Amino acid sequence: MKPRFLFAPGAVLAAGALALISPHILPQAARTTFAWAGPGHDHGPAGKHGADKSQKASDKQAAGDKQAAGHDHDDEGLVHMTPEQAASHGVDVAVAGPGVLSMSLSAPGVIAPDSDRIARIAARVVGTVAVLNKRLGDAVEKGEIVAELDSREVAEARSEYFAALTNLELQKTLFAREQELWNRRVSAEQQYLRARNTLREVELRVELAAQKLTALGLSPGDVAASRNAGPGAAQSFQRYPLRSSIRGRVVERRVDLGAPVGGEGQEKELYVIADLSKVWIDLAIPADELSRIHEGQEVRVAAQDGAATKGRVIFVSPMLTPDTRSARVIAELDNDGLRWRPGGFVTARVTIGEEPVGLRIPRAAAQTINGRPAVFVQAPEGFRIRNVSLGRDDGVHVAVTSGLTAGERVATRNAFLLKAELGKAEAEHAH
């Protein structure tokens, strides 16, 4: 029995010819018609031109990246700053080179006035404050009158001296007359001898009265003025001047006008005057370090605000303090401009030896960056960071054992500003 078809064979071939025919039996030209030519594919003139443009852009980008990478490498660790900018920011530069480190012993100290340069202006008599010529902080010259008192004791002493002077003049006249009569053999020798003895007694009273005035603190000039004063000046003898025994400044005033002084339970001192042109640094040195401390050694003193100066050891106590087992050591400093104020705290370094080194830099030049010691070396375009190895340190200079050569210039004062600028530049580069 022959099979039966729903559709005619010709119709089936006409409807599904393309689906049923295998590509392998199609002509070559038909297969070429369906080939894909995407972007950048080198097929035809247009595709080749697009590929050339893409390659050039890629090469240009690569060259730019390479240049940027090289520029970042050159600027790494560099702070751009001209010499003029460095000067305006207070950045100083020093040359690294050989030198000497001063080995020293460090100890805390207290500034104190020189005890030989302090004067306490005290009343030696009982009286009342009549005049105060100086205020706190005023400058005083040696021998200048700083105050005056009204004192009955002084008035009595001066009156006694004035009476002795008057009697002396009378006895001189009487003695001159008796001497003339004795020379002419008119009077007896006994009268002449009695007049001479009386004159000597009066001269002795004058000397005793003058010494009493001197003991009360009156100067020889005041005594001479009393000698030359007339009878009407006796009323002014109660005025007692107080003079400064040193040149300095008034650092303390303890009385007011009209205050009683010199008596029982009353103030004795009127002023305290100090000459602060030189001050002391009072140090406490442990007993085991005393063998290295000697009078005349140099002392470098630094305050908390960065001020520094030099002085000399003038005293090493032979006694130890029982509580601390330390000895008192005193250094003397020049104090021009009154920079060093008594009562302030300082750090003192006593020089105990010297050590030559092949290369040293100021201590302020050494910075710590990323946990390592480094310095900023001056370059034509600014300052470049350089890691170094450091050796001994004397507080002012530090030895450099590697990382730096003699003759290179490094930033010293305000080098921390360069460190801050470097940190900002690295932060910006990271972002």
Side-chain angles (χ1 to χ4, degrees), residues 262-381:
E264 185 69 24
Q266 298 175 350
E267 188 66 62
K268 301 295 192 297
E269 297 178 0
L270 280 72
Y271 289 103
V272 178
I273 297 175
D275 178 6
L276 299 178
S277 60
K278 292 183 181 293
V279 294
W280 285 355
I281 305 299
D282 209 330
L283 308 173
I285 303 298
D288 57 351
E289 301 286 356
L290 281 175
S291 60
R292 299 193 290 175
I293 305 298
H294 308 285
E295 294 179 3
Q297 286 177 318
E298 184 180 81
V299 178
R300 292 195 299 271
V301 179
Q304 296 179 350
D305 60 359
T309 189
K310 295 181 180 180
R312 293 279 177 187
V313 175
I314 63 171
F315 174 73
V316 179
S317 176
M319 307 289 290
L320 293 179
T321 303
D323 296 337
T324 61
R325 303 298 300 169
S326 62
R328 186 187 185 196
V329 175
I330 295 177
E332 186 179 59
L333 302 180
D334 288 331
N335 191 27
D336 295 336
L338 304 181
R339 171 63 185 82
W340 305 94
R341 299 179 181 275
F345 294 96
V346 296
T347 299
R349 301 177 68 94
V350 183
T351 302
I352 58 178
E354 293 183 343
E355 177 184 343
V357 293
L359 190 65
R360 73 172 191 178
I361 58 174
R363 188 68 186 85
Q367 303 291 318
T368 301
I369 299 179
N370 296 328
R372 298 182 59 187
V375 296
F376 285 93
V377 182
Q378 191 175 37
E381 61 273 20

Side-chain angles (χ1 to χ4, degrees), residues 5-17 20:
F5 296 93
L6 296 176
F7 297 99
V12 174
L13 178 63
L20 297 176

